[in-house]
């Protein structure tokens, strides 16, 4: 006998609406998502906002994959009391309309033609009658053979047939001849190829190519999967470019622009997990590429990633994060990055610059200790040179050589006021870097008129923290 399913009222669900105790209703089922908050690909704040409520509409609008239902099953604790089974919407099928058939020749038109022919025949009959008693035959030698049959002698004067006989004979002759001629003319008219004989051209809409940057792929949001390391390159002091190979050369990572992944490993008997933003995207088929700064004291970076050898398998899962960039998010973006915090910025910069239809303007301030610490400089300079309408880059160093032409010192309110767009509904500022720089920048931006960022960033925030 199946276990009885626990039922909850809407009021009971509503009492569980905080971060430490978050329930929600989706399609009549009640879920306790407290333990799933930090693993949610869209960020914990998305779930917290709908905690204690019926989140069915928000869930459907988010466009979750079928995998989402499998993940949710683990967190289902019962169903909403009084909720019926909600049937899934029927799939909409779009049937291509058949090309209209060419119109057949109108029968009415043919009848009209025959009627006109009969009228002509009647008039012809009268003319023929009178002609039979005149000298018309003498003017038409070729018809003289008809004369004996159509006339008879009455003394010295040749008299024509009677009116009735003439009418019948003429009607028959003219009717037959005109019918034959009419049919041939109508056939010739309708069989002659003209543009009206063919069906009109039916426009078939061009299939819309899906945006590969928004496609799902190899990544799984809750299950770790492994990939082998195929390339390792030192690109800056303690900083490596790590390239991992996907299962096939055409495989897509499945990482929305602006989101990150998690790497997990067993270190000294304990499980350690950290999040990183790849510098590759879905357009780079077959590979996952990361640029990571390895700190000697870092458990995952210094104790694991720095020691990786070619062929070693690494665990990944994702995507994660609250940012899912799409064209049209805003018109102007001010970006502040420090050190390895450039990686999420680079992901957005690349997507915007490589999209011919994206007119978003980016002003980047990139702060580092020294010139040799600048990551992805070659790529950033190439984008700034090729897409000046999209990207402007300002490098800032703590200590700079004499030949340095960029900025020197710390990020200040005056610098951000000069380089970043003014506060507006269509402007955003994005920050990623060391905690000290981030905290100082948040305070300065509020003083410049930007909205104060919340404890957990959302895409709708004017100041977004990666």
């Amino acid at each position: 006998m199946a276990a009885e399913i626990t039922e909850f009222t809407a009021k009971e669900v509503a009492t569980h609406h905080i971060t430490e105790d978050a329930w929600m209703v989706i399609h009549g089922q009640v879920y306790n998502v407290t333990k799933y908050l930090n693993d949610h690909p869209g960020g914990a704040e998305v779930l917290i906002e709908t905690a204690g409520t019926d989140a069915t509409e928000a869930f459907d609008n988010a466009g979750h994959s079928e995998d989402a239902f499998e993940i949710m099953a683990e967190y289902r604790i019962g169903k909403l009391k009084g909720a019926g089974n909600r049937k899934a919407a029927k799939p909409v099928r779009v049937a291509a309309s058949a090309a209209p058939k060419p119109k057949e020749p109108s029968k009415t038109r043919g009848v009209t033609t025959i009627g006109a022919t009969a009228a002509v025949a009647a008039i012809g009959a009268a003319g023929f009658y009178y002609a039979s008693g005149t000298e018309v035959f003498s003017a038409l030698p070729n018809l003289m053979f008809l004369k004996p049959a159509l006339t008879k002698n009455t003394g010295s004067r040749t008299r024509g047939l009677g009116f009735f006989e003439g009418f019948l004979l003429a009607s028959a002759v003219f009717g037959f001849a005109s019918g034959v001629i009419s049919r041939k003319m109508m056939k010739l008219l309708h069989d002659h190829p003209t543009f009206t004989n063919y069906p009109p051209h039916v426009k078939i809409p061009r299939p819309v190519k899906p945006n590969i940057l928004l496609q799902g792929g190899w990544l799984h949001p809750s299950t770790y999967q492994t990939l082998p390391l195929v390339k390792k390159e030192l690109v800056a002091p303690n900083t490596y470019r790590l390239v991992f190979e996907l299962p096939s050369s055409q495989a897509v990572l499945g990482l929305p622009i602006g989101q990150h992944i998690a790497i997990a490993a067993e270190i000294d008997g304990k499980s350690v997990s950290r999040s990183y933003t790849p510098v590759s995207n879905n357009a780079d088929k077959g590979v996952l590429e990361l640029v990571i700064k390895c700190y000697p004291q870092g458990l995952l970076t210094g104790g694991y990633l720095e020691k990786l050898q070619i062929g070693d398998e690494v665990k990944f899962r994702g995507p994660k994060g609250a940012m899912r960039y799409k064209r049209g998010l805003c018109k102007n973006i001010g970006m502040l990055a420090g050190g390895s915090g450039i990686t999420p910025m680079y992901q957005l910069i690349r997507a915007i610059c490589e999209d011919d239809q994206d007119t978003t303007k980016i002003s980047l301030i990139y702060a580092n200790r020294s010139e040799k610490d600048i990551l992805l400089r070659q790529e950033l300079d190439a984008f700034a040179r090729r897409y000046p309408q999209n990207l402007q880059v300002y490098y800032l160093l703590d200590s700079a050589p004499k030949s340095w032409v960029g900025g020197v010192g710390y990020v200040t309110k005056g610098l951000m006021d000069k380089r970043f767009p003014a506060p507006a509904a269509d402007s955003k500022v994005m920050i990623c870097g060391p905690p000290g720089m981030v905290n100082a920048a948040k305070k300065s931006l509020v003083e410049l008129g930007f909205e104060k960022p919340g404890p957990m960033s959302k895409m709708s925030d004017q100041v977004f923290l990666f």
Side-chain angles (χ1 to χ4, degrees), residues 46-76:
V46 177
L47 298 181
I48 295 171
E49 284 183 354
T50 55
T53 68
D54 189 331
T56 301
E57 183 177 356
F59 178 86
D60 291 341
N61 290 340
H64 290 82
S65 65
E66 294 181 1
D67 294 337
F69 293 95
E70 298 178 7
I71 298 170
M72 289 162 53
E74 179 182 348
Y75 303 98
R76 183 161 60 89

Side-chain angles (χ1 to χ4, degrees), residues 8-341:
F8 300 94
T9 65
K11 285 188 176 182
E12 289 176 313
V13 174
T15 60
H16 303 271
H17 62 279
I18 59 176
T19 305
E20 295 76 18
D21 184 19
W23 291 14
M24 63 178 57
V25 178
I26 300 175
H27 293 297
Q29 303 298 312
V30 180
Y31 297 88
N32 183 350
V33 296
T34 308
K35 295 182 180 180
Y36 184 58
L37 292 179
N38 294 329
D39 293 328
H40 184 242
E45 68 280 358
V46 177
L47 298 181
I48 295 171
E49 284 183 354
T50 55
T53 68
D54 189 331
T56 301
E57 183 177 356
F59 178 86
D60 291 341
N61 290 340
H64 290 82
S65 65
E66 294 181 1
D67 294 337
F69 293 95
E70 298 178 7
I71 298 170
M72 289 162 53
E74 179 182 348
Y75 303 98
R76 183 161 60 89
I77 58 175
K79 69 177 184 178
L80 187 65
K81 191 171 184 179
N85 294 326
R86 178 174 175 177
K87 295 182 179 180
K90 295 182 178 180
V92 178
R93 298 181 180 177
V94 180
S97 58
K101 297 181 179 180
K103 293 183 178 179
E104 297 181 357
S106 173
K107 294 182 178 180
T108 305
R109 186 182 303 173
V111 172
T112 304
T113 304
I114 294 173
T117 303
V120 172
I123 297 173
F128 198 94
Y129 169 76
Y130 287 104
S132 64
T134 63
E135 299 301 324
V136 171
F137 282 113
S138 61
L140 301 173
N142 293 333
L143 298 178
M144 289 301 294
F145 71 94
L146 294 173
K147 187 173 182 180
L150 297 175
T151 62
K152 60 181 179 178
N153 293 327
T154 55
S156 61
R157 183 179 178 272
T158 301
R159 185 173 60 86
L161 292 172
F163 179 85
F164 182 74
E165 295 91 338
F167 175 81
L168 290 178
L169 183 58
S171 296
V173 173
F174 280 96
F176 177 80
S178 340
V180 172
I181 294 172
S182 324
R183 287 192 182 94
K184 290 188 176 295
M185 291 297 292
M186 292 293 290
K187 184 177 180 181
L188 180 64
L189 177 64
H190 288 285
D191 287 349
H192 185 69
T194 66
F195 72 93
T196 59
N197 292 108
Y198 301 99
H201 175 66
V202 179
K203 286 188 176 181
I204 300 177
R206 292 183 180 180
V208 178
K209 292 183 178 180
N211 187 347
I212 192 172
L213 300 185
L214 303 178
Q215 289 182 6
W218 176 81
L219 283 171
H220 193 283
S222 61
T223 303
Y224 280 101
Q225 303 175 94
T226 61
L227 291 176
L229 178 68
V230 295
K231 185 177 180 181
K232 182 179 181 181
E233 177 187 4
L234 184 68
V235 295
N238 302 320
T239 305
Y240 294 89
R241 185 187 295 267
L242 305 175
V243 181
F244 298 87
E245 186 177 42
L246 293 176
S248 73
S249 61
Q250 294 300 309
V252 173
L253 181 60
L255 184 73
I257 298 302
Q259 297 214 309
H260 49 268
I261 59 173
I263 296 178
E266 292 288 330
I267 302 174
D268 297 333
K270 55 190 290 188
S271 180
V272 180
S273 175
R274 298 288 186 273
S275 295
Y276 300 96
T277 303
V279 294
S280 59
N281 60 31
N282 286 357
D284 303 310
K285 295 182 178 180
V287 296
L288 162 60
E289 189 171 331
L290 295 162
V291 173
I292 298 178
K293 189 173 184 66
C294 296
Y295 299 93
Q297 70 277 17
L299 281 178
L300 192 68
T301 56
Y304 176 66
L305 294 177
E306 189 174 26
K307 299 176 182 179
L308 286 176
Q309 301 296 318
I310 301 301
D312 287 348
E313 300 271 340
V314 176
K315 295 179 181 179
F316 298 93
R317 74 180 173 103
K320 301 174 65 179
M323 173 58 68
R324 286 177 178 250
Y325 178 82
K326 293 182 181 179
R327 184 197 315 139
L329 176 65
C330 56
K331 291 183 179 180
N332 302 283
I333 301 177
M335 291 184 175
L336 174 59
S340 58

Side-chain angles (χ1 to χ4, degrees), residues 253-431:
L253 181 60
L255 184 73
I257 298 302
Q259 297 214 309
H260 49 268
I261 59 173
I263 296 178
E266 292 288 330
I267 302 174
D268 297 333
K270 55 190 290 188
S271 180
V272 180
S273 175
R274 298 288 186 273
S275 295
Y276 300 96
T277 303
V279 294
S280 59
N281 60 31
N282 286 357
D284 303 310
K285 295 182 178 180
V287 296
L288 162 60
E289 189 171 331
L290 295 162
V291 173
I292 298 178
K293 189 173 184 66
C294 296
Y295 299 93
Q297 70 277 17
L299 281 178
L300 192 68
T301 56
Y304 176 66
L305 294 177
E306 189 174 26
K307 299 176 182 179
L308 286 176
Q309 301 296 318
I310 301 301
D312 287 348
E313 300 271 340
V314 176
K315 295 179 181 179
F316 298 93
R317 74 180 173 103
K320 301 174 65 179
M323 173 58 68
R324 286 177 178 250
Y325 178 82
K326 293 182 181 179
R327 184 197 315 139
L329 176 65
C330 56
K331 291 183 179 180
N332 302 283
I333 301 177
M335 291 184 175
L336 174 59
S340 58
I342 189 61
T343 54
M345 307 300 182
Y346 176 77
Q347 198 182 75
L348 267 73
I349 288 170
R350 179 182 172 187
I352 291 169
C353 289
E354 291 181 347
D355 185 347
D356 293 338
Q357 300 181 42
D358 199 327
T359 59
T360 306
K361 296 180 180 180
I362 303 170
S363 179
L364 169 67
I365 299 176
Y366 184 20
N368 283 279
R369 290 181 179 177
S370 64
E371 187 174 9
K372 62 183 180 181
D373 292 318
I374 300 175
L375 304 179
L376 301 168
R377 184 177 184 179
Q378 184 176 351
E379 291 86 347
L380 290 170
D381 288 345
F383 280 129
R385 184 172 58 254
R386 293 173 59 189
Y387 307 99
Q389 72 280 10
N390 289 115
L391 176 64
Q392 293 182 351
V393 180
Y394 184 78
Y395 297 108
L396 186 66
L397 302 180
D398 290 350
S399 59
K402 294 180 180 180
S403 59
W404 179 249
V405 294
V408 180
Y410 297 104
V411 179
T412 63
K413 181 172 69 173
L415 178 61
M416 289 189 289
D417 188 27
K418 179 181 178 181
R419 307 293 304 187
F420 285 173
D426 56 2
S427 296
K428 288 184 180 293
V429 172
M430 300 181 181
I431 309 175

